[in-house]
Amino acid sequence: RDFSEADKQIVFDEARRIIKEIIPLHRQLQEKGQIEVITTPYAHPILPLIFYSSLARVGNPGAEMPERFSYPNDAIAHLERSVEIYQAHFGMAPQGLWPGEGAVAEEIVPLVAGAGYTWMATGEPVLAQSLGIGSFTRDTKETIQQADDLYRPYYVQGNSGGKVAVFFRDWTLSDKIGFTYSGMSGEMAARDLMARLENIRTRLKEEGASGPHVVSLILDGENAWEYYDNDGKEFFHAFYQLLSESTTIKTITPSKYLELFPEQRELENLFPGAWFSPNYDTWIGEDEENQAWSYLGRVRYDLSRYDMLKTRSASSEAIAQAQDYMYLAEGSDWFWWYGSDQDSGQDEYFDAGFRALLAKVYESLGEPAPAFVNVPIIPKKPAAADQNIQGLSTPIIDGISSADEWNNAALYSTTAAPANSLAYTFDATNLYLRLTFMRQPPPEYRIGFYLAIPHAADHFPFARAAQGEAPVLLGIAATRLFEWDGAEFKAFTAGNNGWTDGTTVKNATLSIKDTTAGVPILEAAIPWE
C-alpha cells in the first residue's frame, strides 16, 4: 500500500527487463548444449482433431460427435508457423515438438516429419494402448513393472511416409514434480525422486533389459513452481546436486539421445490420445464441446470459399488475417473449458473469446458475422425461481388468478417494469404461462416468450425487432417465439437470419383481463403440438 506511480514503474520496468532476457538466455544455453528448447504447434491445437475430428471415435467409439471437421492444411500451417517462429527466436530449426496437450495420432506423423521435426512426446497411456497392454502397472513403490517398454523412444511412421521418434512421459514421476513435491522440503523431494529413478534402474536390471534407457519427466511449469517455497529453488539445487554426484543416472536431451542411440524400436500404430488419456474426451464429445466444433466448422467452411475453393475473393492480406484468426480459434484451450469435465469459474469468458475470434474471421474478409456467432455456447445461468415447479397443473386461462390454480407453478419475480412476475406450469397437453404487471403497459407494447428447444435445426440470438428497432441480444439460442402484439398471439420459428413470419397460434388460448386494481394479467395456454 501507499506505493506511488513512480514506485510501480520501477517494478514494471524490472519485470520487463527480466522477460526480455528469457529467450536470449535459453538460446545461449541451447547453443552451449546444456538444454534443448522445444516448441508446440502455432496456436496449441489438438492437432489430430484439426486433421480429422472423427479420430476421437477410436478412443471412445460411443462418443457423440459433431459434424466432421477435417482441415489437414490447417494442421500443416500450425506446424510450419511454429517452425518459423522458433527459427526467428533461436536461430535454428527445432528438433522436438510437444503437440498441444500431448495429443498425437499416427495420421499426423507425416505432417510432423514434413515440418522438419525429428521427435515428439506424449503420455504413457498412449504407449500402453499402442502396445495393446491397456495400461502400465506399478508395484507398491509405484515403480513401473513394464520398465523396458516405457523408458525408451519409439519410431513411428505414418502411412504416407515420414518417420518421427516419440518419447513417452512417466505419469507418476512427472505428477510428483507437478503436484506433490511442492508440499515437501526441496531436499526431501529431490531425494525421493532420485530413489524412484534408482528403483526404475533396479527394475530394468530385473527384467534383463539392455539400455541405455531414458526416463521422460514432462510437466507444465505454470502448474508447479508457484506452489513451491521460493519457486522450487531448494528442490532444483538439491536435485541437480544429486544428479551431479550420481554414477548411474545422467541427464541428456532427447535429440542427443537419438544421436547417440539411433537404433530404436518401432511402433506399428500410434494410438490416438493425449498426455493423460488414450482419447480426446476433454476436448470433444460433450454437448458444449460439439457445439463449439460445429461453430468452428461453419466458420472454416465460409473461409474455405476464399482460401481453398476460391469461389469468393478478397485481398491476400485479408485472407491471411482471416486465416490467423481461424488458427487462433482452433487452439485447444477454448475446448478445454467447454463441457462439464473442466471448470475455470469463468467459462463464459472463454466462450466469449472463442466466438470473438470467429467473428474476426468475417470482419477480416469484410463480411458480416452470421447470427450464430452471437449465440453463447455456454448459456447465461438461469434465474433462480422464487418457487420451483411443484407438479403438473391445469389452470383456467381467463386472465383471473383464482385461488390455488397457480400454486404448483414455478414463479419468478422481476423488477423489469412494467412486468411484475412470471409463472409457468404444464400438463400433458399445454404449456401454461402467466405474466402479471405492476402497471398498465403502453398500447404498442409487445410481449414475447422465447424458448430454446434442444437439438433444433436453427436458432437465433436476437429478439424480434419491429421496423426501426435495434435488435436485443437474448443471451440464449432461441428457437421459438410466442408473441402477443395487443391483438393476436403469434408463433415464430428461428431461422439463420431472423424470425419467420408469424402465424396465429393454433388451438392456443390467451386471456388478458384487468384486475380490480386496473393492472392486467396475461395468461396463455400453448399446445405442445
Side-chain angles (χ1 to χ4, degrees), residues 18-284:
I18 294 171
I19 290 170
K20 288 179 180 179
E21 291 179 355
I22 291 174
I23 290 178
L25 174 61
H26 285 77
R27 176 172 177 168
Q28 182 182 23
L29 292 173
Q30 177 163 253
E31 289 171 350
K32 290 181 178 180
Q34 289 180 259
I35 65 172
E36 180 175 3
V37 179
I38 67 172
T39 188
T40 191
Y42 173 58
H44 200 269
I46 303 300
L47 209 60
L49 296 182
I50 301 301
F51 181 85
Y52 182 44
S53 61
S54 293
L55 285 171
R57 286 195 183 277
V58 178
N60 187 352
E64 292 288 335
M65 286 289 109
E67 188 173 344
R68 186 185 72 174
F69 186 97
S70 182
Y71 287 90
N73 285 346
D74 286 11
I76 293 170
H78 282 283
L79 290 165
E80 290 179 343
R81 287 194 176 201
S82 70
V83 172
E84 293 169 3
I85 293 170
Y86 187 100
Q87 288 177 319
H89 286 90
F90 293 98
M92 59 181 291
Q95 298 299 306
L97 179 74
W98 174 252
E101 302 293 352
V104 297
E106 186 168 346
E107 286 77 0
I108 70 165
V109 171
L111 280 60
V112 174
Y117 291 101
T118 59
W119 67 269
M120 60 182 176
T122 184
E124 69 176 60
V126 172
L127 178 59
Q129 290 294 326
S130 299
L131 295 175
I133 63 174
S135 62
F136 288 96
T137 57
R138 288 174 163 82
D139 64 13
T140 56
K141 295 181 179 179
E142 298 184 301
T143 303
I144 285 278
Q145 297 302 284
Q146 303 84 4
D148 190 39
D149 289 332
L150 178 60
Y151 300 116
R152 61 172 66 248
Y154 292 77
Y155 287 116
V156 181
Q157 183 164 322
N159 293 332
S160 58
K163 185 168 72 173
V164 175
V166 184
F167 290 80
F168 296 92
R169 172 184 186 267
D170 183 302
W171 194 343
T172 296
L173 292 193
S174 299
D175 279 4
K176 289 288 183 184
I177 300 172
F179 304 106
T180 304
Y181 287 156
S182 58
M184 304 165 59
S185 72
E187 179 74 25
M188 184 181 298
R191 292 192 178 280
D192 182 80
L193 181 54
M194 287 297 291
R196 290 173 182 273
L197 292 171
E198 287 291 351
N199 290 342
I200 292 171
R201 195 174 74 87
T202 299
R203 178 58 187 167
L204 288 166
K205 291 174 66 176
E206 292 172 354
E207 292 183 19
S210 58
H213 292 82
V214 60
V215 178
S216 299
L217 304 178
I218 302 172
L219 60 142
D220 288 333
E222 74 271 19
N223 289 342
W225 313 123
E226 64 182 289
Y227 296 103
Y228 281 70
D229 289 339
N230 199 22
D231 297 328
K233 288 184 175 61
E234 181 188 354
F235 168 74
F236 280 125
H237 292 164
F239 185 45
Y240 292 157
Q241 181 65 41
L242 292 172
L243 286 171
S244 298
E245 295 170 355
S246 176
T247 59
T248 57
I249 300 171
K250 301 297 180 184
T251 58
I252 193 169
T253 66
S255 290
K256 189 65 176 179
Y257 180 92
L258 292 171
E259 177 188 331
L260 295 176
F261 312 107
E263 299 298 323
Q264 298 294 332
R265 298 176 185 175
E266 294 190 5
L267 280 178
E268 292 185 7
N269 176 60
L270 183 62
F271 196 87
W275 67 271
F276 62 91
S277 61
N279 54 58
Y280 308 125
D281 287 358
T282 295
W283 304 276
I284 195 169

Side-chain angles (χ1 to χ4, degrees), residues 299 303 318 321-326 328-329 353-367 369 373:
V299 176
L303 175 57
Q321 185 179 61
Q323 287 173 327
D324 191 58
Y325 283 122
M326 192 73 237
L328 295 175
F354 172 68
R355 291 182 293 104
L357 289 172
L358 298 181
K360 283 290 187 180
V361 173
Y362 294 97
E363 181 181 316
S364 300
L365 298 169
E367 286 194 28
V373 174

Side-chain angles (χ1 to χ4, degrees), residues 334-355:
W334 312 114
F335 301 92
W336 176 275
W337 297 118
Y338 286 123
S340 60
D341 49 3
Q342 307 292 340
D343 183 9
S344 68
Q346 51 180 2
D347 291 356
E348 297 86 353
Y349 169 83
F350 290 96
D351 178 29
F354 172 68
R355 291 182 293 104

